[in-house]
Amino acid sequence: QVDLVESGGGLVQAGGSLRLSCTASGVTFSKHTMGWFRQSPGKEREFVAAINFSARDIYYADAVKGRFTLSRDVGDPTVYLQMNGLSPEDTAVYFCAADTSTSRVRLGVPDYWGRGTQVTVSS
């Protein structure tokens, strides 16, 4: 079993920044896609971003393009989500996801999920 642990969430004012990280532990593997989803109360889980194992294919939801940056070192089990220009609409629990299939991550059905980290943006 692969464990995904998120960190970096917290409270920030509108316009501020946060940097989330997700690290895979328990079982180490390199050729996998990792990504992020988020969910707010009363809303469905929403795709945020994903990056494949080679870091050559990176995908962003329209809502975060130009503000969020997903990065990783090639083959590294840790990914980073730099979030700039945050607004109250970004408030959510952010979940890390991982799978050997990029499509499964983007579709929201990855093999592995993290437990989530809370991001709260005040106005």
Side-chain angles (χ1 to χ4, degrees):
Q1 180 67 37
V2 174
D3 294 323
L4 302 177
V5 180
E6 305 97 332
S7 64
L11 175 65
V12 65
Q13 292 184 341
S17 299
L18 286 173
R19 189 192 192 203
L20 306 183
S21 65
C22 175
T23 299
S25 62
V27 178
T28 301
F29 59 95
S30 59
K31 294 185 177 180
H32 58 280
T33 293
M34 299 180 71
W36 290 91
F37 289 76
R38 65 187 183 184
Q39 187 167 24
S40 300
K43 295 184 178 180
E44 295 183 349
R45 183 178 56 195
E46 176 188 17
F47 172 77
V48 176
I51 185 168
N52 76 341
F53 75 94
S54 67
R56 294 196 301 173
D57 298 314
I58 307 174
Y59 308 90
Y60 296 99
D62 288 343
V64 305
K65 286 182 179 178
R67 298 188 298 119
F68 291 9
T69 302
L70 184 62
S71 64
R72 75 186 299 177
D73 291 330
V74 176
D76 197 299
T78 300
V79 296
Y80 304 93
L81 184 67
Q82 180 67 45
M83 306 186 296
N84 298 325
L86 289 166
S87 69
E89 289 72 28
D90 296 312
T91 295
V93 177
Y94 283 70
F95 296 93
C96 183
D99 200 291
T100 56
S101 168
T102 299
S103 295
R104 286 179 58 84
V105 172
R106 296 184 67 193
L107 290 171
V109 289
D111 282 343
Y112 305 105
W113 287 103
R115 294 181 179 180
T117 185
Q118 178 70 49
V119 171
T120 302
V121 184
S122 63
S123 60

